[in-house]
Amino acid sequence: MDPEKLRDIIIPLIVIGVGLFVRTTENKNYQDAKKWGKYLIIIGVVSLIIRNIDLLIN
């Protein structure tokens, strides 16, 4: 697999993972960032879907 295609798949997965981490953490340092967790998850999922469709078309 081409490194660029691999990067196109891994980056949205990392964004989803960070969003899930922020949403589920009990650490007091991340309490202000919890509201951004769902946005990170949504952005990651949409980006993953768009990139996979683009990879399938090309």
Side-chain angles (χ1 to χ4, degrees):
M1 183 176 260
D2 189 18
E4 291 179 8
K5 291 181 182 179
L6 188 62
R7 183 196 64 204
D8 288 344
I9 294 172
I10 290 178
I11 291 175
L13 292 176
I14 292 172
V15 172
I16 293 169
V18 169
L20 288 173
F21 170 75
V22 169
R23 293 279 294 171
T24 59
T25 188
E26 295 296 327
N27 192 340
K28 299 294 182 197
N29 294 333
Y30 292 105
Q31 295 303 315
D32 293 335
K34 276 197 170 196
K35 60 185 173 188
W36 292 100
K38 65 180 172 183
Y39 297 120
L40 287 173
I41 294 169
I42 292 169
I43 290 170
V45 169
V46 169
S47 177
L48 186 64
I49 291 170
I50 290 172
R51 288 178 189 225
N52 281 333
I53 290 172
D54 185 45
L55 288 174
L56 290 173
I57 290 174
N58 292 332

